[in-house]
Amino acid sequence: MLAARYEMLGVTMRVAGNTAGYTGAQMEKAAQGMQKMGISMIASRENAMKMVVAQLDLAKAADLARVAQDVARVANINSSEAFTRMIQGIRSGEVEIFKTMGLMINMDKAYRDFEKTNNLVKGSIDAGQRAQAIMNAVLIEGEKYAGLYAATMDTAAGQTLSMQRHVENLKVAFGLAFTPALAEIIETITGAITDLNGELSGNSKEKIAEWGVNFRIALIDIQAEIRRLAMLLDKLGGTMTSAQMLLYGPGRAMGVKSSTKRFEAAADANMKYEARYKASEAALEALAK
């Protein structure tokens, strides 16, 4: 579902960008730039879209992401969440959002500074320009926390916060392999349900029963594919334990106690992998019957 959301955000991001005068390539480049600064795949696309809708300068996305990295450590949240909060605060003008991350933004000063910089009449700033003014103030205020992210990356807490992004990105990347199948399954089920709704208008219990049987067969096929994937992963695990046995074998032969223990543990794990692999093969044969 995360991968499906990532795919959908890619479409909405490009459409919103086109409306604001950006090409799809420019939008994707901005999202990729955010990812390089520690923003998750989903948050980068989501916030790229929000930035152009709010008429913010997309070229400043990477700079904002850098500030988000640093102030995230102040609020004890990950960079993606900090970036999302910052964009929300810039769009809404809510000072309290910034305060939770240690950013003290004076809205009136931000507006006046923007007017002076752009030679505008005092009080003539519009809604789009207000967002730009707040963003500029955030970038300036964020300089006070420059370097916090890098300084805390060696700590357990810092690594834990960063790991959340890597785990989410892994889910998205792995899920993308199944997105075409998911779309096909949903389309097939939707079509079947539509047909079923038509059948329910008459007296067709046999048709309903037939639909249920066909659906069960489809699920069995899916189950077989998942088992094959599980068998592949088990095979990889078995290969790793075999490698461990080779690694600790010489030490065991020389009588090293620690190597002997590790060798025996790897051998036990390898036997378990082989047993599980054989069980999966038997289950697949049963499904085929």
Side-chain angles (χ1 to χ4, degrees):
M1 295 309 297
L2 279 171
R5 174 161 172 72
Y6 178 73
E7 182 185 42
M8 184 176 70
L9 281 170
V11 176
T12 57
M13 178 186 72
R14 285 191 291 272
V15 172
N18 290 339
T19 302
Y22 292 96
T23 65
Q26 286 175 315
M27 295 298 294
E28 189 60 42
K29 183 179 179 180
Q32 292 288 339
M34 292 183 218
Q35 289 176 38
K36 290 178 181 178
M37 297 308 300
I39 308 303
S40 72
M41 294 169 70
I42 286 180
S44 62
R45 283 188 169 183
E46 189 176 57
N47 286 299
M49 177 181 64
K50 289 179 179 179
M51 283 186 71
V52 296
V53 170
Q55 302 176 43
L56 296 173
D57 185 0
L58 201 58
K60 300 284 184 67
D63 294 331
L64 279 173
R66 188 178 295 107
V67 172
Q69 281 186 320
D70 292 324
V71 299
R73 296 307 193 232
V74 178
N76 195 33
I77 55 179
N78 62 51
S79 303
S80 300
E81 186 177 347
F83 192 89
T84 299
R85 288 189 191 181
M86 281 168 50
I87 296 299
Q88 181 184 348
I90 290 169
R91 295 176 69 194
S92 65
E94 296 179 50
V95 178
E96 292 302 319
I97 293 176
F98 297 117
K99 285 183 178 180
T100 60
M101 295 182 287
L103 295 169
M104 308 307 292
I105 307 297
N106 184 320
M107 296 297 180
D108 289 333
K109 184 178 184 303
Y111 300 155
R112 300 296 83 81
D113 289 346
F114 186 88
E115 288 171 345
K116 288 178 182 178
T117 302
N118 294 277
N119 296 317
L120 299 176
V121 177
K122 185 176 180 181
S124 65
I125 189 170
D126 61 30
Q129 292 169 331
R130 286 193 185 95
Q132 291 279 358
I134 298 171
M135 181 180 69
N136 293 342
V138 168
L139 291 172
I140 293 171
E141 181 71 6
E143 292 175 2
K144 297 177 181 178
Y145 299 100
L148 280 187
Y149 177 81
T152 57
M153 270 308 295
D154 290 335
T155 67
Q159 291 179 24
T160 300
L161 289 171
S162 293
M163 186 178 69
Q164 295 171 4
R165 165 175 54 92
H166 294 305
V167 170
E168 183 182 292
N169 285 349
L170 177 62
K171 290 178 181 179
V172 173
F174 191 72
L176 285 173
F178 297 94
T179 302
L182 176 62
E184 183 69 25
I185 290 170
I186 297 301
E187 185 178 349
T188 301
I189 292 175
T190 301
I193 290 174
T194 302
D195 292 341
L196 181 58
N197 283 334
E199 295 294 344
L200 286 174
S201 61
N203 188 16
S204 303
K205 291 184 178 180
E206 291 182 3
K207 289 278 187 180
I208 295 172
E210 181 183 347
W211 182 85
V213 171
N214 290 335
F215 187 71
R216 177 177 177 274
I217 292 171
L219 288 178
I220 289 174
D221 288 341
I222 294 170
Q223 184 182 0
E225 290 303 319
I226 291 174
R227 282 187 176 275
R228 287 190 183 94
L229 176 61
M231 288 169 66
L232 172 63
L233 294 176
D234 259 359
K235 218 170 186 181
L236 291 173
T239 302
M240 291 300 293
T241 54
S242 296
Q244 285 179 318
M245 288 171 66
L246 289 172
L247 180 65
Y248 299 124
R252 179 175 183 267
M254 295 174 66
V256 180
K257 289 184 179 180
S258 59
S259 294
T260 300
K261 289 182 180 179
R262 293 192 181 104
F263 178 87
E264 290 174 351
D268 289 342
N270 199 43
M271 291 178 64
K272 291 177 182 177
Y273 275 116
E274 288 182 2
R276 195 154 60 229
Y277 186 76
K278 290 178 181 178
S280 294
E281 283 187 321
L284 276 175
E285 289 179 6
L287 280 172
K289 293 178 182 178

